[in-house]
Amino acid sequence: MNEPTAYGRPAGHETAAVEVHHPTPLAPVLPAAPLMPVQPGTIPTVTSIVLPDGRVVTGYTLNPAKPEPVAVKPAVSRTAVNIALGGIGFGAVCGGLVLLTAFIAALAALVHQLIILAAVIFGGWIAVQVFSASGHRGGNTFHIRKAIFKRNHFNG
């Protein structure tokens, strides 16, 4: 079943055909265009590397990327600070609301007292008007057949 083949491998495991890729040679380097004089330090240095097969690769050296500094986190989160400030503000408002409620209750009591005072004064004035002696004493007067009846008294 697993008998070796002519290549020494079991049947069913033959090697696939191998493709060989040959590298394409690089085009020759053209002479560089004349350069304008530039301040030193503005252009990075050029580095040349000789490969094992004799080719020379020239290029700019790259400085490794420096990671950005990590922002320092505050000891207390901003959310906690906002909640604390909101609590302080709410506490300050609650004191004012208690005072406002007390003021409204006192104002309502004052209005109630003024209404009672007005009723007593006005009621007293009405009582004085009704029970005061104005013109005649006694009860009601009825004129019937030229006779005058006063309360419980006949004048004929």
Side-chain angles (χ1 to χ4, degrees):
M1 186 159 152
N2 285 336
E3 297 177 16
T5 59
Y7 300 109
R9 295 188 177 192
H13 295 284
E14 288 80 18
T15 306
V18 177
E19 293 183 23
V20 178
H21 295 281
H22 297 285
T24 307
L26 296 174
V29 178
L30 298 175
L35 296 175
M36 300 295 290
V38 181
Q39 294 286 349
T42 57
I43 299 178
T45 57
V46 178
T47 306
S48 297
I49 299 174
V50 179
L51 297 177
D53 61 355
R55 293 181 293 165
V56 177
V57 178
T58 304
Y60 295 107
T61 57
L62 297 176
N63 295 329
K66 295 179 183 176
E68 293 185 22
V70 178
V72 178
K73 291 186 177 180
V76 180
S77 71
R78 291 181 186 215
T79 305
V81 170
N82 290 338
I83 291 172
L85 290 176
I88 291 170
F90 182 72
V93 168
C94 283
L97 290 177
V98 167
L99 289 176
L100 181 65
T101 306
F103 175 74
I104 291 172
L107 187 63
L110 176 67
V111 169
H112 186 254
Q113 294 287 331
L114 290 176
I115 290 172
I116 291 174
L117 181 64
V120 167
I121 291 173
F122 187 67
W125 181 77
I126 291 176
V128 168
Q129 295 299 319
V130 169
F131 295 119
S132 68
S134 61
H136 64 276
R137 277 203 198 269
N140 298 327
T141 302
F142 298 100
H143 298 278
I144 301 173
R145 294 185 191 175
K146 294 185 181 182
I148 297 173
F149 290 94
K150 286 195 174 187
R151 181 183 302 193
N152 298 328
H153 186 65
F154 175 72
N155 291 328

